[in-house]
Amino acid sequence: MACISGAVVPSLTLKTNPGATALEVGPNSRIVVQLIDVSLMDAPSVTLGEDVIVTNDDQIFKFPIPFRLTYDADTIQSYQSLALAVRVYDVSSTLSGSEEGVLTWISTSRHSVEVDPVPKYDDTPITAKNTLTGQIKASSSVPASSSHGVGPNAKILIQLLDVSMMDAPSVSIGEQRIVLGADEVIPFPIPFGILYDPKEIDDRNVYSVNVRVEELYSDNLLWVSTWANNVLTREAPTENVEIEIDLIQ
C-alpha cells in the first residue's frame, strides 16, 4: 500500500474574513478525506482511498487538520486524473435523514494530485538516498523581538537546488516542508534534513540551499534566505549546514 499525507485548511476567503465562521471543526464531526479518480467526465468519480477523522462530543479540531490516507498503488494507471476531496459532516443528530449526517464543510476547488503507478515488474532497483542535514537561524539583522522562532500559521520550504546555469531556472534536487498550525511556533535554530539522490549530483555543478517561509493560508512571504548557501560540491559543506534567514519587512 502507498500513502498520501497533508493537512486540511480553510479557504483563503474565510481566512481573510474573520468572523465569517469559526476556523475549526466542532464536536461530533466526521471528516472524510478521499483520493478519487476523476478521469471520466460523464461518470461518477471512483474512491481509491480515504481517511476518516472523528471528533468526540467534547472535542474540537483547529485548522490545519493533518490527514494520512492509503491506497493500492497497483490500481493506478499513468493516464488517470486523480484529486483529493474533503467533506465534513455533523453526526450529532440523525434528523437530517442522511446516514452521513449534516454536511458542514466541503472542498469546492479541485485539488489534483499525481501518484506513480507501481512498475509492472518488481526488478526495479531501489535508489539509495542521502540526507543533507543542517539548521536554520535568524539573521543577525533580525530584531530580537522577532528572532525567537517561526509561526504560528506558517509553512517553511527548504530546497536543495542546482544553480549551475546562470541563464536558466534552478533545478530542485530535493526539499523538505514544515507546516505550523494556529498554536505552533518552532524556535531557532530549526533543524532540517533534505533527502536527495546522490546520482543526481555532478561534482562540476553548483548546489545551494534556499529557504522560504510563507503564511500558511496564502503565499505572503514572511522570511527568506538572502545569501548563497552552497553545499555538496567544490569544497562546500556536505552536512550540518547553517542557513540564515531574514525577516521580510
Side-chain angles (χ1 to χ4, degrees):
M1 300 293 286
C3 71
I4 294 177
S5 60
V8 179
V9 299
S11 71
L12 183 59
T13 301
L14 293 178
K15 182 61 180 177
T16 55
N17 289 276
T21 188
L23 296 182
E24 60 190 24
V25 172
N28 296 313
S29 293
R30 185 169 180 263
I31 308 165
V32 182
V33 185
Q34 294 179 315
L35 174 65
I36 54 177
D37 181 355
V38 292
S39 305
L40 298 176
M41 300 298 293
D42 56 347
S45 58
V46 178
T47 300
L48 302 178
E50 70 177 18
D51 185 15
V52 178
I53 307 163
V54 178
T55 62
N56 300 324
D57 55 8
D58 59 350
Q59 192 174 28
I60 293 175
F61 283 176
K62 292 185 177 182
F63 294 107
I65 301 172
F67 69 85
R68 180 183 176 88
L69 62 84
T70 60
Y71 64 94
D72 185 356
D74 289 325
T75 64
I76 303 300
Q77 303 297 325
S78 59
Y79 57 79
Q80 286 177 297
S81 182
L82 308 178
L84 289 171
V86 181
R87 290 175 179 264
V88 181
Y89 299 92
D90 180 355
V91 296
S92 60
S93 173
T94 57
L95 297 179
S96 66
S98 169
E99 294 182 0
E100 295 281 3
V102 178
L103 186 63
T104 55
W105 294 80
I106 188 172
S107 55
T108 54
S109 300
R110 177 168 170 174
H111 302 278
S112 299
V113 293
E114 294 185 4
V115 296
D116 293 323
V118 170
K120 186 174 181 180
Y121 303 104
D122 293 330
D123 57 356
T124 302
I126 298 175
T127 302
K129 296 283 187 177
N130 286 359
T131 304
L132 176 67
T133 59
Q135 56 183 3
I136 302 168
K137 296 182 175 181
S139 166
S140 58
S141 63
V142 174
S145 59
S146 301
S147 62
H148 59 283
V150 171
N153 291 326
K155 50 189 177 184
I156 307 172
L157 174 62
I158 310 123
Q159 289 183 303
L160 172 60
L161 303 172
D162 183 343
V163 294
S164 306
M165 304 296 291
M166 299 298 293
D167 56 347
S170 56
V171 178
S172 179
I173 304 299
E175 66 179 41
Q176 181 185 6
R177 294 175 184 265
I178 303 172
V179 176
L180 302 170
D183 300 316
E184 293 181 285
V185 174
I186 185 169
F188 293 113
I190 302 171
F192 68 85
I194 304 174
L195 289 174
Y196 66 94
D197 184 352
K199 293 181 179 179
E200 295 186 22
I201 304 302
D202 188 328
D203 290 338
R204 299 169 296 178
N205 291 355
V206 179
Y207 301 91
S208 182
V209 175
N210 181 66
V211 178
R212 292 175 60 88
V213 182
E214 299 174 349
E215 290 183 349
L216 182 59
Y217 304 109
S218 71
D219 293 328
N220 291 338
L221 188 62
L222 303 176
W223 297 77
V224 68
S225 55
T226 55
W227 296 93
N229 301 287
N230 293 345
V231 294
L232 300 181
T233 59
R234 304 190 181 190
E235 299 184 354
T238 59
E239 60 182 355
N240 301 325
V241 299
E242 293 188 356
I243 310 297
E244 289 190 354
I245 58 175
D246 286 301
L247 188 64
I248 301 298
Q249 302 297 329

